[in-house]
Every structure is written in C-alpha cells, then in structure tokens.
Amino acid sequence: MDKLTYAQSGVNIDEGNRAVELMKEKVKSTYTDGVVGDIGAFSGGFSLKAFMNMEEPVLLSATDGVGTKLLVAQMMDSHATVGQDLVAMCVNDLICQGARPLFFLDYIATGKVSAEKVAGIVAGIADGCKMANCALIGGETAEMPDLYKEDEYDLAGFAVGIADKKKLIDGSKVSEKDVIVGLSSSGIHSNGYSLARKLFFDKLNLNLDDQFGEAGKKIGDMLLTPTKIYVNTVMEILEKFEVKGIAHITGGGLLENVPRVLNDDLDAHIYKDSWDMPDIFQGIIDLNMIEEEELYRSFNMGIGMVLIASESDAQGIFDLVNSKKIDQAHIIGTIEKGSKKVVLK
C-alpha cells in the first residue's frame, strides 16, 4: 500500500512555503523602528521604548474581518485591495479611542493555497499597514480543503495600538451643543455587503460589469472600492484639537455607532443633506427599494468616521481636513438633549 502524504489530503506545504517567500519583501517594507525579530519566528515582537514618556501607556486591540465583500472579490478574481479593507476595519476602530496603531497580524483561511493569490492578498495588507503607519509583524495561512472550496478564502485581522490613559477618548465629555464632524467614506467600505449583494444580484439581477448610478461605474468596481484608512488624518486632528468622541461607522451604520459615544441623556441630530454621498448610495436611494432607517442602519451612507467636538474645535477640524485635500470633512449635526439615539433630519 502506498504511503499517504499531507499533499494527498489537500494540504500543500511547499506551496505555502512559496507563498511566504513571495510575500517576504512586502511584509518587511512595513517594518517600523519598534519591530523586534523577523519573518519566521514563532511570534512577532514590538518594542515600546519610544513610548516610555507616556504617564500610563495603555495597549488597545481590535480584530475584524472583511465580511461578504470577499465574495465579490472572489467573483471578480480581484484580490489586491481586500487586504487594505482588512487593515482599515481594525485600525479605524483603534483610533476611535485615540490609540496610535503599532502592529498588525493577519489570518488567511482557504481551501487551497495559491502562492500568488496569497502573496497578492498580503501585499494589500502590507499596503494598508503602511497607510496606517503600523508594522505587519505576523500572520497565518491555513489551508483547509474540507472547510472551504478551492477558490474560497476568509480573512481576519488583529491590530494593537497605544495611548496614554489620561488621553483616552471614551465619549464621557460629550455635551449638549457639541458639533458632529463627519469624514467622507470612499463607498460601502466593508459592511452591508449581504444586503448590497441581495439588492444588486438577486432583486435587480445585475452583473458585475453592469453600470450603476449617474456616474455609470461598473457594479463590481464600486463594490470593491477599498475602505478608507483614517489613521493619519485623525492622529493629526488629535494633536491640534480636543475631540470628545469618535465613532467608526461600520456595521449598524450611523444609527447604532454614534450612540456608542453618547451619554444616556444625549441625542445626535444628524442632517442628511449636509454631505455629498458616493454615487452608489444615491443610486440605492433612487431605487426606493430599501427603507430609509434600514439604509442608515446597514450602510455608512457616505460618512466613514464621526468626530464630536466643541463648536470652535469642530470648525478647526473642518478647516484642517479640507485644507489637506486628503480626506473630506463635513459639519453634519449637533448634540442635543435626548435619550442616546440618532435623530435624522
């Protein structure tokens, strides 16, 4: 009887090793001064020496995935940008409490390892890490043929950041008459894709190459637009202004994420006409196939990050962001007495 090998069971160790070789230089390009060790160690290390001047340094962590946006990437056989999505979903959460991202780890699970595909995904992760000024110091690629089909894969990411405890942002200082600043999103980002796919592919029977909205862009391209990474913008804001609350507008949309930084006796009054929506959202609204409350609970609707500050600081934030012309800021509402909810106006 022939001896059984791991490869015969569907796991190709050699292909996995080749993927590591292909991604090595891209991973190393993310290394910052704090990185300890190199690729191949059993764990990734990071020195905190540069932060010894903090009164009470606190590590914060975040983990997330990309959701069913990956199905669109797999349908299009386009995997270059989902890595940026993965990083964005984690580091954008960290900065909500004022933490500076330090390092990132990834987990890729697939039915069959293709060295080129995995290396391409990791290249996107590395690009996202460089945008966030954090180092990619570890990861795992798991080949599991009995759990995933050959072309299927899933991603998970893990980010760690640091902040001085006395400077942590938790929303406790938010008060009546504070002003809400919204930073524009690039599109759907990485939430609401089950609803979007149901709408476009099931209800409307559209194909990935079909055009949608006034701009006439292809559905596939619009859906794969990568999630914006706000780290540099928010870090610069925090150096110059007092921000009382920050909310990353992910699953739950504006309606559920903004109340996370409100006290029980406050509401956020948000004016729907105070920002220009990406074309995909305006097109969805024009279809009139989804109730407004469902839209604002499922999608970011064009606002990827919300910052709450006093009127003067909010104006300073608005001016700073728009002068840089990297992100776009909008004054989208105010904080009023209420019961910890969002009021759309």
Side-chain angles (χ1 to χ4, degrees):
M1 182 183 295
D2 292 337
K3 300 291 186 181
L4 188 63
T5 66
Y6 210 175
Q8 289 173 335
S9 68
V11 178
N12 190 331
I13 295 175
D14 291 336
E15 187 73 356
N17 291 337
R18 195 165 72 86
V20 172
E21 288 299 318
L22 289 175
M23 68 178 74
K24 265 187 176 180
E25 291 308 312
K26 195 70 175 180
V27 171
K28 286 185 176 181
S29 72
T30 72
Y31 283 6
T32 59
D33 290 340
V35 174
V36 177
D38 204 346
I39 296 173
F42 286 95
S43 61
F46 197 93
S47 170
L48 299 180
K49 183 178 180 180
F51 305 95
M52 297 300 288
N53 62 329
M54 289 185 175
E55 185 176 309
E56 187 177 352
V58 177
L59 294 178
L60 294 94
S61 60
T63 183
D64 213 329
V66 182
T68 61
K69 186 172 188 174
L70 292 180
L71 292 178
V72 180
Q74 290 163 22
M75 290 164 65
M76 295 181 67
D77 194 22
S78 177
H79 315 283
T81 60
V82 290
Q84 178 179 329
D85 290 305
L86 184 66
V87 175
M89 295 303 291
C90 297
V91 298
N92 286 345
D93 278 354
L94 285 180
I95 59 177
C96 289
Q97 289 178 270
R100 181 179 298 277
L102 297 177
F103 56 85
F104 190 86
L105 299 96
D106 67 81
Y107 174 79
I108 304 172
T110 184
K112 182 178 181 180
V113 169
S114 162
E116 284 77 15
K117 180 187 287 188
V118 170
I121 294 168
V122 174
I125 294 171
D127 289 340
C129 285
K130 287 189 281 190
M131 292 177 194
N133 294 320
C134 68
L136 177 57
I137 65 170
E140 166 72 1
T141 300
E143 189 170 28
M144 296 184 285
D146 294 326
L147 276 178
Y148 298 90
K149 295 178 181 177
E150 280 195 4
D151 293 331
E152 290 180 346
Y153 65 89
D154 197 9
L155 304 177
F158 314 86
V160 172
I162 193 168
D164 204 332
K165 187 176 181 180
K166 65 182 180 181
K167 294 183 179 180
L168 286 174
I169 300 169
D170 60 8
S172 61
K173 295 181 179 179
V174 174
S175 59
E176 188 180 6
K177 303 307 178 185
D178 281 344
V179 174
I180 306 168
V181 180
L183 303 183
S184 292
S185 70
S186 57
I188 295 185
H189 282 182
S190 297
N191 296 99
Y193 274 80
S194 293
L195 178 58
R197 290 186 301 104
K198 183 76 172 178
L199 172 66
F200 291 128
F201 304 138
D202 292 349
K203 294 296 184 181
L204 299 177
N205 291 313
L206 296 176
N207 296 310
L208 291 167
D209 290 333
D210 288 337
Q211 296 180 334
F212 183 74
E214 292 184 3
K217 296 180 180 178
K218 292 181 179 179
I219 288 289
D221 293 337
M222 296 175 83
L223 290 176
L224 274 194
T225 301
T227 306
K228 190 177 287 188
I229 292 176
Y230 297 98
V231 172
N232 290 332
T233 297
V234 171
M235 288 294 105
E236 184 172 0
I237 289 170
L238 294 180
E239 289 177 358
K240 299 178 179 180
F241 303 100
E242 180 185 5
V243 179
K244 301 181 181 182
I246 306 178
H248 184 198
I249 310 306
T250 53
L254 287 161
L255 295 186
E256 294 190 2
N257 284 293
V258 176
R260 294 168 67 176
V261 294
L262 297 180
N263 292 315
D264 291 341
D265 60 344
L266 297 174
D267 282 348
H269 288 209
I270 293 179
Y271 294 87
K272 296 177 291 183
D273 60 352
S274 58
W275 69 90
D276 296 324
M277 291 183 181
D279 194 45
I280 192 167
F281 293 124
Q282 192 57 56
I284 291 173
I285 290 173
D286 292 343
L287 290 171
N288 196 29
M289 295 178 67
I290 302 174
E291 295 291 341
E292 180 180 79
E293 183 175 350
E294 190 71 18
L295 287 175
Y296 281 86
R297 177 169 278 115
S298 302
F299 300 121
N300 65 60
M301 299 306 289
I303 297 295
M305 189 73 72
V306 160
L307 300 93
I308 302 173
S310 67
E311 184 176 359
S312 60
D313 280 330
Q315 186 61 50
I317 293 167
F318 175 87
D319 294 338
L320 172 67
V321 173
N322 291 329
S323 69
K324 297 286 184 179
K325 297 183 179 179
I326 299 172
D327 287 315
Q328 189 173 11
H330 311 270
I331 303 296
I332 65 171
T334 57
I335 302 299
E336 308 294 342
K337 285 293 183 183
S339 56
K340 200 179 176 70
K341 65 181 183 299
V342 168
V343 179
L344 296 175
K345 293 192 169 185

